[in-house]
Amino acid sequence: MESGGVRRSVVAAAALGSLLTVTALSGCGGSGDGSDAGAGEPGGSAGKAARSTAPADPTRIPGVGDRLHERIPADSTQAVAVYGDGKDSADSTVVLYTKQGSAWHRARSWAAHNGKKGWTTDHHEDDQRSPVGVFTLTDAGGVLPDPDPAAGLPYTESAAFAAPRSWAKTHWHDFDYVIAIDYNRVKGTAPNDPTRPEGTSKGGSIWLHMDHGSGTSACVSVPKPGMEYLLRTLDPDRHPVVVMGDKADLKA
């Protein structure tokens, strides 16, 4: 890693047996052929929606209320906002915001997906809902090589990320690129590390990963161009976070 430590680069050498760990941990179901949708602010899909929902206060991320805003670390200057369409919806919009001075600015956005059954403020293993909250982003990896080895988050390249071939072919590339969401995991480890500090019942291995056009088990899935952009752009020195949830919970 160029900033903050030594980057991991684990050459893809794991046999199919190594995939058993990933099968147990991945818990996600998205893989991608989508493209940058240019979607607007909170869950919107067009520039008009973006303009109509833009807040007067540039120091706030659009659509994020006091409860979650206060959980964004003061030193964070990159935020991936995930705007779920509804409490029980698998559809969402991902927007990358960057902070300059005290103001947040929209950088890019993509149509995306979240848990098949929507969102929850009390996530548990196999509930097929994505957890609402603010989580740091510290580690990345995948089957494919790091798209920018000289920048970005620490990256672990390994065949052990590959989705099981017992899954539908549309899911085989789910984990070509992943960014670990720091929910019930140990920061500074590969995204597929099995450690669950809060216990297995709280779930884990919740990632940003490649999208295949429908809901996941709990992860947030983003089209390949979006994942590549995030992997090149997210900078450990800027303390990136993800702010995620359905629009109603985000505003609370």
Side-chain angles (χ1 to χ4, degrees), residues 40-42 47-58 60-63 83 97 106:
E41 309 299 335
K48 182 181 290 186
R51 289 191 294 274
S52 66
T53 58
D57 184 358
R60 303 290 294 263
I61 293 175
Y83 299 103
Y97 293 98
R106 177 186 174 279

Side-chain angles (χ1 to χ4, degrees), residues 2 25 51-52 62 65-66 87 91 98 107 114 142-143 157 172 202 208 224-225 227-228:
E2 293 298 312
L25 298 179
R51 289 191 294 274
S52 66
D66 291 343
K87 187 74 173 179
D91 297 324
T98 60
N114 49 266
V143 176
E157 177 191 346
W172 284 5
K202 293 294 289 182
L208 297 169
K224 184 178 182 180
M227 287 300 300
E228 290 176 332

Side-chain angles (χ1 to χ4, degrees), residues 110-201:
W110 303 271
H113 292 91
N114 49 266
K116 293 173 182 146
K117 294 186 177 180
W119 297 90
T120 179
T121 55
D122 186 22
H123 175 68
H124 286 81
E125 184 79 6
D126 298 327
D127 65 10
Q128 297 189 3
R129 291 181 179 270
S130 298
V132 175
V134 177
F135 308 99
T136 53
L137 301 171
T138 56
D139 304 281
V143 176
L144 297 179
D146 188 345
D148 190 353
L153 302 172
Y155 191 94
T156 301
E157 177 191 346
S158 175
F161 282 99
R165 288 311 185 250
S166 59
W167 290 10
K169 282 188 177 182
T170 53
H171 293 65
W172 284 5
H173 296 283
D174 285 8
F175 312 130
D176 281 358
Y177 293 128
V178 307
I179 298 171
I181 293 171
D182 290 337
Y183 170 90
N184 197 20
R185 69 176 301 270
V186 177
K187 298 178 186 179
T189 63
N192 56 353
D193 182 274
T195 309
R196 301 285 176 266
E198 298 178 46
T200 57
S201 67

